[in-house]
Amino acid sequence: MPHSELLQPINDFLNCETPNGWIDKATKKENLPIILIDHLICELKAAQSAMFLIRKYAVDKESGDALLEWLKPFETLIYKREGNWRDLASKNKLTKSIIPKSNSPYGQDLIDKMVMLIKEELHHFYQVLEIMDEYGVEYKSITPCRYAKGMLRHVKTFEPDALVDKLIVGAYIEARSCERFAKLAPHVDKRLGDFYISLLRSEARHYQDYLALAQEIAQFNITERVEFFGNLEAELISSPDEEFKFHSGLPT
């Protein structure tokens, strides 16, 4: 499928394009480290978010604890700076053979989609580490930007609406990531551009999986909530932002 065809549904879903001011800043050589480091963290956060959904909504405590243990080497590398990143390639062994709780009507579908997402996000995490090593970019701790938090603070507090909102937010994060990779690709060197293009297909599918789950689980039509978060997301992306990160707004 041509990139334009792949991106059309993404561009239709998002309420605004990434501002040119962000692209100009993101493609300056001196800003490559912050883009790569934040991209790395975003991949881990995406895996953690999907893992949280499985643990909270789809499996019992024993399975949830096993999942946490499996994710630990990836988190330890980032949060404690311990371990060799090259060893992580052999640790991405999660499978869909997790048994959902008997009282979770949508548990298996949630597990199936989120396990695939987690495996892909952690594969991308490892690929970003490889690129950082190639480009001589050393990992350092950075503060999170306002983007995800700015949407999650509007998530409803009762179920299943809270889960539906979280899934819609996940869809917007994945869709925006896809759009930004496509925007960056023509302005960076071939190695990095090819990598960004290679991510488009999975990121595009992730946003669709999140939306499909949201509608499956909801006991109502989700169009209004999708529009609500779409307007919120567009405001975060297009308004001035003092922080500069992968998902930040218009640089000031």
Side-chain angles (χ1 to χ4, degrees), residues 70 73-74 77 84-94 119 122-123 125-127 129-130:
W70 172 81
F74 300 87
L77 184 78
N84 186 330
W85 67 267
R86 290 177 176 83
D87 295 336
L88 295 178
S90 63
K91 297 186 183 297
N92 195 1
K93 302 295 185 186
L94 189 64
K119 287 176 69 68
L122 292 180
H123 177 59
F125 178 85
Y126 185 82
Q127 288 179 300
L129 284 169
E130 285 183 313

Side-chain angles (χ1 to χ4, degrees), residues 48-164:
Q48 288 174 317
S49 297
M51 184 75 78
F52 169 80
L53 294 178
I54 294 176
R55 292 182 62 243
K56 180 171 176 62
Y57 296 103
V59 298
D60 59 24
K61 186 179 185 304
E62 185 179 352
S63 295
D65 290 345
L67 288 169
L68 276 185
E69 195 63 31
W70 172 81
L71 195 59
K72 193 176 288 184
F74 300 87
E75 296 177 323
T76 299
L77 184 78
I78 292 300
Y79 301 131
K80 295 185 179 179
R81 313 282 185 86
E82 294 175 6
N84 186 330
W85 67 267
R86 290 177 176 83
D87 295 336
L88 295 178
S90 63
K91 297 186 183 297
N92 195 1
K93 302 295 185 186
L94 189 64
T95 69
K96 294 180 185 177
S97 59
I98 306 166
I99 307 301
K101 290 187 287 193
S102 58
N103 62 346
S104 178
Y106 42 80
Q108 193 61 59
D109 199 23
L110 185 70
I111 288 169
D112 289 348
K113 286 185 169 65
M114 292 299 103
V115 165
M116 181 180 287
L117 185 144
I118 291 166
K119 287 176 69 68
E120 289 179 339
E121 301 291 16
L122 292 180
H123 177 59
H124 300 160
F125 178 85
Y126 185 82
Q127 288 179 300
V128 179
L129 284 169
E130 285 183 313
I131 286 175
M132 286 171 62
D133 185 60
E134 287 176 35
Y135 285 73
V137 174
E138 189 174 341
Y139 176 77
K140 64 177 182 179
S141 298
I142 57 174
T143 56
C145 75
R146 67 184 187 178
Y147 180 72
K149 192 180 291 185
M151 287 189 284
L152 288 169
R153 67 164 57 103
H154 295 276
V155 165
K156 290 181 179 177
T157 55
F158 52 90
E159 300 294 356
D161 297 45
L163 173 55
V164 171

Side-chain angles (χ1 to χ4, degrees), residues 160-247:
D161 297 45
L163 173 55
V164 171
D165 280 358
K166 288 170 193 170
L167 291 167
I168 293 170
V169 169
Y172 274 107
I173 293 172
E174 296 290 336
R176 181 60 64 184
S177 299
C178 188
E179 188 250 10
R180 290 213 154 164
F181 291 138
K183 291 283 190 184
L184 285 174
H187 302 285
V188 295
D189 65 43
K190 188 176 186 308
R191 169 72 173 101
L192 202 51
D194 287 349
F195 173 55
Y196 288 151
I197 293 298
S198 75
L199 298 177
L200 297 184
R201 192 172 300 279
S202 57
E203 300 294 322
R205 191 183 66 256
H206 292 170
Y207 110 85
Q208 292 169 334
D209 283 348
Y210 270 121
L211 271 189
L213 275 171
Q215 188 56 77
E216 177 189 333
I217 291 164
Q219 297 168 357
F220 54 89
N221 187 306
I222 65 171
T223 302
E224 189 177 318
R225 293 305 284 170
V226 170
E227 288 177 359
F228 171 80
F229 283 108
N231 291 331
L232 196 61
E233 196 270 350
E235 174 65 21
L236 289 164
I237 287 298
S238 58
S239 60
D241 193 345
E242 292 180 4
E243 290 267 13
F244 177 69
K245 300 285 167 52
F246 185 78
H247 285 112

